[in-house]
Amino acid sequence: MSEAHFTLIFRGPAVENGEIDVQDFAPALLSIGDLLQSANEVINGSAAKVAVKVRATAEGSFEVDLSLWQQLIESIFNYAKDHKDGIAAAQELADLVLKIGGGIGAAGTFVGGGLFALLKWLKGRKPEKIEYQDDGSVTIHIGDNYFMTNRRTVELAENVAVRNHAKRLVSTLQRDGITSIAARQNDRQELSLTREDIPSFDISDDQDEELADSTRPMVLQIISLSFKEENKWRLTDGGEPFTASIEDTEFLNKISNNEIYFGKNDCLICEVRERQVRNNKGLRKERTIIRVIEHKPSPRQLKLV
């Protein structure tokens, strides 16, 4: 069993008397517990379990001492003992989330540390370059500035569950009277987060994973149309209605030149591109009309035979 200790510190007008509203305190504690649980699952898988326990409270702004307990699963204890490098112990796990470093390099300003320090430094920006070294170290570049960390910290930053729990923790800063949350391990430098850091913990939803991409002919009935640039048309293929953009410039020019008129229940015979993508919000289907083959006005007369 391994153990690490750290202190969670709340500051602001709401905690000046050394007390804190349970509605502020409980979500923060649950979030840090869930965050470290998720981090342990990413790094150690099923090889070890962790628990975050409250040790004591201290007078001051509002401080709570926490301990991170880690227990190796008994069925793999012998394996873990012989392969210690494969298991991140409690202190290392805490460092991966809470550690902060700093310094000045010849090429520009650099900082170092764990997940919170990395997200705080990124400020929602995407790295321009990431360099992975054979020793497990990682250097993340934005302009002349760079951040030095390790592969495991990058794994945590790329994990949706970890990021969601981190976001929940910093969301405590949205409550009135809480101006900062800080984490301190022993006598190390304190990592402090303020309201300005909240956007840094947002999860970008523009990182789409493409699952399928195909083009096929379709007959579509117009439900509603838009003559504004980049606005999507609402259509149906006889099933659920959907929206689609039109990229056929020749067809759009005919509309602009009043060469095409539309009526109720008109149809378009089209070549339609369908993409299925997935991101942290789930599965999404996108449709784009590549070419309009024919515009079919709705029947104006009934046929007796």
Side-chain angles (χ1 to χ4, degrees):
M1 181 178 291
S2 62
E3 183 180 2
H5 299 282
F6 59 97
T7 302
L8 203 61
I9 306 163
F10 299 81
R11 294 190 176 96
V15 294
E16 287 178 348
N17 62 354
E19 298 178 350
I20 189 171
D21 192 311
V22 69
Q23 292 185 344
D24 299 326
F25 182 56
L29 280 187
L30 290 172
S31 296
I32 193 68
D34 290 340
L35 170 61
L36 291 167
Q37 289 276 9
S38 294
N40 180 71
E41 290 175 6
V42 172
I43 302 303
N44 293 325
S46 60
K49 289 185 177 180
V50 296
V52 179
K53 300 180 180 181
V54 177
R55 296 180 62 208
T57 57
E59 293 289 337
S61 306
F62 187 86
E63 301 185 10
V64 56
D65 292 333
L66 303 173
S67 59
L68 174 64
W69 291 77
Q70 181 191 67
Q71 183 174 9
L72 299 180
I73 304 305
E74 186 176 356
S75 62
I76 63 157
F77 180 79
N78 291 331
Y79 172 85
K81 184 171 61 175
D82 295 334
H83 301 80
K84 292 180 180 178
D85 292 340
I87 304 296
Q91 186 58 61
E92 181 184 356
L93 200 59
D95 284 346
L96 289 173
V97 176
L98 305 172
K99 186 178 180 180
I100 186 170
I104 303 295
T109 304
F110 79 88
V111 296
L115 174 67
F116 280 12
L118 172 58
L119 297 179
K120 183 181 175 78
W121 179 77
L122 283 173
K123 296 180 180 178
R125 301 170 296 176
K126 290 186 176 181
E128 296 173 5
K129 182 173 66 173
I130 301 178
E131 294 179 323
Y132 294 88
Q133 307 300 328
D134 293 337
D135 62 358
S137 62
V138 178
T139 305
I140 301 171
H141 296 264
I142 296 181
D144 292 333
N145 300 330
Y146 57 96
F147 186 100
M148 301 179 68
T149 186
N150 54 69
R151 291 176 183 268
R152 286 177 162 179
T153 297
V154 174
E155 284 184 59
L156 296 183
E158 293 177 339
N159 184 271
V160 174
V162 169
R163 293 288 298 275
N164 279 331
H165 294 315
K167 176 65 176 178
R168 281 175 50 204
L169 175 62
V170 298
S171 294
T172 305
L173 292 166
Q174 294 175 328
R175 295 183 179 272
D176 292 337
I178 306 293
T179 58
S180 73
I181 300 174
R184 183 174 60 233
Q185 298 185 71
N186 302 321
D187 296 326
R188 298 183 185 182
Q189 183 180 355
E190 187 177 285
L191 188 151
S192 182
L193 302 171
T194 67
R195 291 181 182 179
E196 294 180 355
D197 295 313
I198 294 176
S200 299
F201 286 74
D202 288 338
I203 302 176
S204 174
D205 60 359
D206 60 358
Q207 297 183 5
D208 291 335
E209 175 190 2
E210 188 170 287
L211 302 178
D213 189 343
S214 62
T215 300
R216 62 188 179 95
M218 296 181 69
V219 178
L220 303 175
Q221 181 177 308
I222 302 171
I223 298 176
S224 63
L225 46 80
S226 174
F227 298 129
K228 293 182 180 180
E229 190 174 347
E230 296 183 357
N231 277 17
K232 295 185 176 183
W233 292 37
R234 189 165 176 81
L235 308 154
T236 179
D237 61 355
E240 289 293 325
F242 60 86
T243 59
S245 57
I246 298 180
E247 294 184 350
D248 187 335
T249 55
E250 182 179 349
F251 176 73
L252 294 174
N253 287 336
K254 287 181 179 179
I255 295 175
S256 298
N257 295 330
N258 295 321
E259 297 177 30
I260 300 177
Y261 297 91
F262 297 97
K264 184 178 180 181
N265 296 327
D266 282 8
C267 291
L268 301 175
I269 301 175
C270 316
E271 285 184 6
V272 181
R273 180 188 181 191
E274 290 186 330
R275 294 176 65 237
Q276 277 188 300
V277 296
R278 179 175 61 183
N279 57 30
N280 62 290
K281 291 186 176 180
L283 192 64
R284 185 177 77 253
K285 179 178 284 189
E286 297 177 348
R287 295 180 177 91
T288 305
I289 297 175
I290 305 300
R291 186 168 70 97
V292 178
I293 300 171
E294 183 183 353
H295 167 229
K296 292 182 69 66
S298 61
R300 300 295 188 257
Q301 291 182 290
L302 296 176
K303 293 183 178 182
L304 294 179
V305 180

